Amino acid sequence: MLIMSEEHYLELCENPVQFENASSVNNVFFDEANKQVFAVRSGGATGVVVKGPDDKSSVAFRMDDKGEVKCIKFSIGNKILAVQRTPKSVDFINFMPDFPHLEFSQECKTKNASVLGFCWTNWNEIVFITDQGIEFYQVLPDKRSLKLLKSQSINVNWYMYCPETAVILLSTTVQGNVLQPFAFKSGTMSKMSKFEIELPVVPKPAKLSLSERDIAVATIYGQLYVMYLKHHSRTTNSPCAEVVLYHLPREGSCKKTNVLKLNTTGKFALNVVDNLVVVHHQSSQTSIIFDIKLREPDCALNVHQPVLPARSIHPYRIPLTGTMPALTTCLGSAL
């Protein structure tokens, strides 16, 4: 939540999501699309507690313990649950009143491929992302089966999903800095123009150099941007880190449009709140704010300084009841 005061710009929302912390018997997952936190407790039967952004979207249920849960997400509207337990398949459970709550499973079609994860793009449409490409399915809950709509073969290092625009970003090539986006809408999959992230140093021999930790996708002022957290070498003239923004249109080529100067080094996290880019600096425990709309007219590449001095997030205390709770920071879209 964005606030304005002399000491703080940001604070937690009034009712932050609380959940049991991760442990040897409890795994925690976050679904960006539905803004849900899953706490999965194993042992005999698997107990699942789902906490949403409000009390109405919180549910609890049990399912058979068929192995370690690697990923778990509801489709839009909590109609169908998808659970990945193995590198080859994803299991499904109907949560609609008119259908039996029986599990059914779908293996990825590509031979010798491993499923890196999956994304729901509609209440009954899902994408499997494997290390060898993507597979777009329609889920048929009445038949307890899936129908393959389209697939694309491509070597994948890692992926990222923007639920607001239903765009999946795939990291490809040995260095990982060539990104291939795909857009999804109403049963269709469209291949968008691929683009390359400019690395500060090109390694020799070539190796994976771009990590998903340094990439975020967000909608800012109604446009989709890919944000790259660029760390410069300490030996360069400008060792301070910066955030490079690439504008990714539905049609046409992706272009580098903005550079946010962080004026420091270290570990960072990114948020977008009310169309403002908020960069959190770990060691100083402060956040700085950028507004990309403040730019020079007709400038191809806009360089930005923070619009306000760095400030810490407003302190917040949560009373402890029973086990230690964890919480999400409710700063808009956590990236």
Side-chain angles (χ1 to χ4, degrees), residues 88 90 92 106-110 115 118-130 134-140 145-151 184 187 189:
K88 298 294 181 183
V90 178
F92 297 86
Q106 176 66 49
E107 287 193 0
C108 62
K109 297 290 187 181
T110 309
V115 178
F118 58 85
C119 302
W120 287 101
T121 59
N122 205 334
W123 78 267
N124 66 339
E125 293 172 0
I126 192 170
V127 183
F128 290 6
I129 301 96
T130 77
I134 57 176
E135 301 173 4
F136 184 32
Y137 292 95
Q138 181 183 29
V139 183
L140 307 172
S145 64
L146 276 71
K147 176 185 177 182
L148 181 65
L149 300 176
K150 199 170 183 179
S151 63
F184 298 85
M189 181 178 84

Side-chain angles (χ1 to χ4, degrees), residues 31-171:
D31 175 18
E32 176 65 32
N34 290 318
K35 302 294 187 291
Q36 291 175 324
V37 178
F38 288 76
V40 181
R41 177 180 283 272
S42 61
T46 301
V48 182
V49 177
V50 186
K51 297 280 188 174
D54 54 66
D55 293 337
K56 293 181 180 179
S57 58
S58 298
V59 297
F61 57 90
R62 289 184 173 275
M63 57 186 184
D64 293 338
D65 189 348
K66 297 182 179 179
E68 179 186 359
V69 173
K70 300 179 182 296
C71 187
I72 181 169
K73 298 175 187 176
F74 269 118
S75 69
I76 297 169
N78 294 356
K79 295 180 181 295
I80 307 171
L81 180 71
V83 184
Q84 183 189 353
R85 298 182 176 99
T86 75
K88 298 294 181 183
S89 64
V90 178
D91 300 325
F92 297 86
I93 306 174
N94 291 324
F95 269 73
M96 292 177 286
D98 297 333
F99 297 94
H101 293 195
L102 298 175
E103 284 198 21
F104 54 101
S105 184
Q106 176 66 49
E107 287 193 0
C108 62
K109 297 290 187 181
T110 309
K111 187 178 181 181
N112 299 324
S114 294
V115 178
L116 302 178
F118 58 85
C119 302
W120 287 101
T121 59
N122 205 334
W123 78 267
N124 66 339
E125 293 172 0
I126 192 170
V127 183
F128 290 6
I129 301 96
T130 77
D131 56 359
Q132 297 182 34
I134 57 176
E135 301 173 4
F136 184 32
Y137 292 95
Q138 181 183 29
V139 183
L140 307 172
D142 54 337
K143 298 180 179 179
R144 297 176 55 236
S145 64
L146 276 71
K147 176 185 177 182
L148 181 65
L149 300 176
K150 199 170 183 179
S151 63
Q152 176 77 47
S153 296
I154 183 172
N155 290 329
V156 180
N157 302 304
W158 48 265
Y159 72 96
M160 197 158 290
Y161 181 51
C162 179
E164 291 81 11
T165 57
V167 170
I168 294 178
L169 207 61
L170 305 181
S171 163

Side-chain angles (χ1 to χ4, degrees), residues 175 201-207 209:
Q175 294 176 173
V201 178
V202 178
K204 293 183 179 179
K207 63 178 180 179
S209 302

Side-chain angles (χ1 to χ4, degrees), residues 305-327:
Q305 295 290 338
V307 297
L308 294 166
R311 293 282 189 270
S312 296
I313 298 174
H314 190 277
Y316 189 96
R317 289 186 177 274
I318 295 180
L320 301 182
T321 55
T323 58
M324 178 76 75
L327 55 89

Side-chain angles (χ1 to χ4, degrees), residues 11-30:
E11 68 177 8
L12 295 175
C13 63
E14 294 182 357
N15 297 305
V17 177
Q18 299 185 52
F19 52 91
E20 188 175 353
N21 61 312
S23 66
S24 59
V25 296
N26 192 67
N27 287 329
V28 177
F29 304 88
F30 179 63

